Amino acid sequence: MANLDEYQRAAAETTDGSFLVLAGPGSGKTTTLLTRVKNLMDKGHIAPEKICLVTFTRDAAEEMSLRFFAQMEGAHPPVGFFTFHSLFFSIIKEEYGLKNEDILMGKMKKAFMKEALRLSFPEKKTDSMFFSDLSKEISIFKNGGERSSLSVFSEEDFHTYVNTLDELKKKYKKTDFDDMQYEAKELLSSSDKILRKWRDRYSHYMVDEAQDMNRIQYDILKLLTIEHGNVFLVGDDDQSIYSFRGADPTVLMRFEREYKGCRKLYLKKNYRSDALIVRKASNLIKNNRIRFEKEYIPESKEEGRISYTVYKNEKEEAEDILRRILSNCDGDSPGKETAVLFRNNYQANAISCLLKSEGIKNVSLHTFHGAKGLEWDTVYILDVNEGITPSKKVKNEAALEEERRMFYVAMTRARHRLFLCAIKRSNNTLLYPSRYLLELSDKTSS
C-alpha cells in the first residue's frame, strides 16, 4: 500500500465492520477499493470467494476485475465482481432455475411488449420510437424514478399496460433487468432458508458508486448484510445525479443510521483538478443542504484557470469555443483533451455543426450525465443560464439540489482549465446568468 495516501490507506486497511467512504471527484476510489480487496485476503485472511464487489454497469465491473487481476501477478482468486443486476439474477437463477435465455432483451422483449399492447390497447397507434420510449419509461417507474410528462400513456393506462406485461412475463416464466430486483427481494423476504443461504454466501460486501443505489437495491443489500454488518460503501452524495432513474443519495444517510457502529471515512485528496477548480466547485456544492459535510484537498500545486464569458447568442458562443479549440491544439489533434458539456442535448447543435465543418471528429461532446466518470484538461460548459442550469423544470428544493450536483459534476471534469459560458438570448428570449455563478464566490477575485 506504499502508493496510497493517508486517507486511502485508512480505508483500504479496514476489515470487519460497516464503513461509509465518501470519495470526491478524482480521489482514487477504484485504487482504494481494489487495494482493500487484496488486503482482506492477505491481512484479513478472508477467503476470496467470500468477497463480493458490486457496481452499477457491466463495463465498470469488468474494468475493476481486469485491474484487480492485473495487480495479482497472474493469480485469479475467485472474488465476486457483480453489477446489482447480475447479483440479483444469480439469486433468482439459482432459486427459480432460470437460464440466461429467460431474460427478456432485444427482439424478444419487444415482441412481449407488442403482445401486451395488443391485449390491453389494441387500437393504440405507435411510431418507430414508441416501444423504445415505453421501455425506458417502465424502467424508470420500476426503479422508483419519476415518469415523464411526455408519457406515451395516461397514468391509469400506463398501470394497466404494465400489469398486462407483467402477467405475460409470468405466464411464460420470463424476467427482465427491472423485475430482477423485485423478484430477488421477494425471495429473500419470504424464505428464511433462502435468506440464510445467501447471507452465508459472502461475508464481506463492497459497493462502488453507492450514491446511485435506489431504495430497493439498498433494501436487498441490507437483507443480505445487516446480520454480519461487513459492508464497505464508497460513494459521493454530491455526485448523485440519477434521481430520474430512481437513485436516492439519502440511502447513504440511512446506512449510517441503520448499521450499528458505522464509521465514516473520507478520501480527501483530489488528484484530478487544479486548486482553483477544486475550491470553486466546493463553494458551489456547499449550498446544498442535504449532504455530508466534507472538505477536499487539491494535490495539484497549480492554481488552474476558470474563465466566464457572456455571448450574444448560441452562434457567437459556438464560434468562440471553436476558435479557442483551434488555437490551443499545440500540434495535437484539435480538441484532443477538450470537452464541451451541456445540460441538454439540443444545446450542442451549434458547436457540433461547426466542429464537423472544420473536420474535427475526435472532439468530446457530452451532457452533464454523460460526462460522469470522465475527465479532460480543458472543459467548456455551455449556457450557464437560469432556466437551463438549473432547468426551468425544477419544481422543488430537492430538484434544485440535484441540478446543482449536475453542475458540480460538470465542473469537476476539468483538470486545468474551465470555461463557463452564458448567452444573453436564445430564440429571441432574454436569458439571465445562472445563480450558480454567484455561488462560486469565495470573497477573493478569480
Side-chain angles (χ1 to χ4, degrees):
M1 288 191 267
N3 294 326
L4 300 187
D5 65 39
E6 63 268 38
Y7 307 107
Q8 295 168 336
R9 188 177 298 109
E13 288 179 344
T14 61
T15 51
D16 293 347
S18 307
F19 300 92
L20 175 58
V21 181
L22 295 166
S27 60
K29 67 182 179 64
T30 303
T31 298
T32 305
L33 273 166
L34 297 181
T35 305
R36 185 177 189 262
V37 174
K38 193 171 187 300
N39 184 62
L40 285 175
M41 296 187 299
D42 294 347
K43 297 183 179 178
H45 306 294
I46 307 300
E49 62 270 20
K50 288 290 187 180
I51 301 171
C52 177
L53 197 154
V54 187
T55 189
F56 279 83
T57 68
R58 192 186 321 177
D59 287 346
E62 288 178 357
E63 181 189 353
M64 279 202 178
S65 64
L66 288 172
R67 284 181 61 175
F68 175 69
F69 293 130
Q71 75 179 22
M72 293 305 294
E73 299 176 345
H76 279 73
V79 173
F81 289 90
F82 292 94
T83 64
F84 271 107
H85 285 125
S86 65
L87 176 62
F88 298 158
F89 185 61
S90 69
I91 294 173
I92 62 175
K93 180 180 180 180
E94 192 166 316
E95 302 306 329
Y96 286 150
L98 295 180
K99 304 179 182 66
N100 288 341
E101 52 264 35
D102 294 320
I103 304 176
L104 288 180
M105 295 185 291
K107 291 180 180 178
M108 183 164 64
K109 181 173 182 177
K110 188 172 182 180
F112 268 71
M113 293 182 71
K114 283 184 174 180
E115 178 63 8
L117 187 68
R118 187 189 69 80
L119 292 171
S120 54
F121 300 101
E123 304 301 319
K124 182 77 174 176
K125 297 285 189 284
T126 65
D127 58 26
S128 60
M129 296 300 294
F130 179 87
F131 289 104
S132 174
D133 292 342
L134 181 55
S135 180
K136 290 176 186 173
E137 190 169 346
I138 292 171
S139 181
I140 289 168
F141 168 71
K142 290 199 170 184
N143 281 281
E146 293 186 7
R147 293 181 61 227
S148 168
S149 58
L150 301 176
S151 170
V152 297
F153 279 121
S154 68
E155 189 76 18
E156 183 179 350
D157 288 353
F158 177 78
H159 288 287
T160 298
Y161 175 82
V162 170
N163 289 337
T164 303
L165 181 60
D166 286 345
E167 288 300 317
L168 203 57
K169 287 185 284 190
K170 191 180 295 183
K171 178 180 176 181
Y172 291 98
K173 297 183 178 178
K174 301 292 183 184
T175 189
D176 62 27
F177 290 115
D178 298 314
D179 291 335
M180 286 177 192
Q181 54 190 4
Y182 289 94
E183 292 166 1
K185 184 179 179 181
E186 185 178 333
L187 263 173
L188 297 170
S189 302
S190 61
S191 169
D192 289 340
K193 182 179 179 182
I194 292 174
L195 179 58
R196 171 58 53 198
K197 173 183 173 181
W198 284 93
R199 276 183 172 174
D200 292 343
R201 181 67 59 92
Y202 300 103
S203 65
H204 288 72
Y205 279 80
M206 302 168 70
V207 180
D208 186 28
E209 302 286 6
Q211 76 279 351
D212 292 335
M213 278 191 290
N214 62 36
R215 291 176 188 177
I216 194 167
Q217 289 164 345
Y218 174 78
D219 289 343
I220 295 171
L221 181 71
K222 186 178 174 183
L223 278 168
L224 292 169
T225 63
I226 193 66
E227 191 174 77
H228 58 67
N230 295 324
V231 192
F232 186 88
L233 298 190
V234 180
D236 182 6
D237 52 321
D238 292 335
Q239 295 188 74
S240 181
I241 59 173
Y242 296 109
S243 68
F244 68 95
R245 293 200 311 225
D248 181 3
T250 64
V251 298
L252 301 184
M253 295 163 188
R254 279 184 61 191
F255 178 77
E256 185 184 23
R257 291 195 309 268
E258 294 171 358
Y259 280 74
K260 188 177 180 180
C262 174
R263 286 177 56 200
K264 274 209 306 282
L265 301 172
Y266 297 86
L267 301 187
K268 291 187 177 183
K269 288 193 177 180
N270 183 311
Y271 290 91
R272 176 186 300 157
S273 302
D274 289 340
L276 181 65
I277 296 169
V278 174
R279 188 171 77 245
K280 295 294 188 179
S282 295
N283 291 347
L284 171 83
I285 204 62
K286 285 176 183 176
N287 287 276
N288 274 4
R289 294 171 60 193
I290 303 176
R291 64 184 291 267
F292 291 104
E293 287 294 324
K294 53 187 88 71
E295 297 288 340
Y296 294 119
I297 305 165
E299 181 68 7
S300 171
K301 304 305 179 189
E302 300 298 323
E303 182 72 353
R305 178 185 177 190
I306 297 179
S307 174
Y308 170 60
T309 308
V310 181
Y311 299 97
K312 288 190 297 186
N313 51 37
E314 296 98 331
K315 182 175 182 291
E316 184 179 79
E317 178 184 52
E319 288 171 347
D320 189 54
I321 291 173
L322 176 65
R323 179 187 61 77
R324 290 173 186 257
I325 289 173
L326 291 173
S327 65
N328 288 293
C329 59
D330 296 326
D332 287 329
S333 300
K336 185 178 180 182
E337 274 297 336
T338 300
V340 180
L341 308 183
F342 36 88
R343 174 65 179 85
N344 304 296
N345 278 309
Y346 74 84
Q347 294 170 251
N349 290 342
I351 186 65
S352 179
C353 288
L354 282 181
L355 291 172
K356 286 178 182 175
S357 71
E358 291 290 329
I360 301 174
K361 300 177 182 178
N362 60 333
V363 177
S364 289
L365 299 177
H366 295 276
T367 63
F368 294 169
H369 288 104
K372 179 82 164 53
L374 304 175
E375 58 186 82
W376 299 270
D377 285 347
T378 303
V379 168
Y380 295 87
I381 302 181
L382 300 182
D383 309 339
V384 186
N385 293 91
E386 285 292 306
I388 299 175
T389 180
S391 168
K392 63 184 176 183
K393 296 179 181 177
V394 165
K395 297 176 182 176
N396 53 45
E397 188 64 27
L400 184 62
E401 293 207 350
E402 174 138 343
E403 290 285 317
R404 189 177 285 110
R405 291 195 294 269
M406 279 189 263
F407 192 58
Y408 174 78
V409 166
M411 288 184 67
T412 55
R413 301 310 94 195
R415 296 189 191 110
H416 308 303
R417 293 171 293 278
L418 176 63
F419 295 91
L420 305 177
C421 309
I423 54 177
K424 293 180 179 179
R425 286 185 178 274
S426 177
N427 296 324
N428 292 321
T429 300
L430 184 64
L431 296 176
Y432 298 93
S434 170
R435 70 192 75 184
Y436 297 153
L437 293 166
L438 290 176
E439 295 174 358
L440 303 182
S441 174
D442 55 8
K443 296 183 180 179
T444 59
S445 174
S446 63

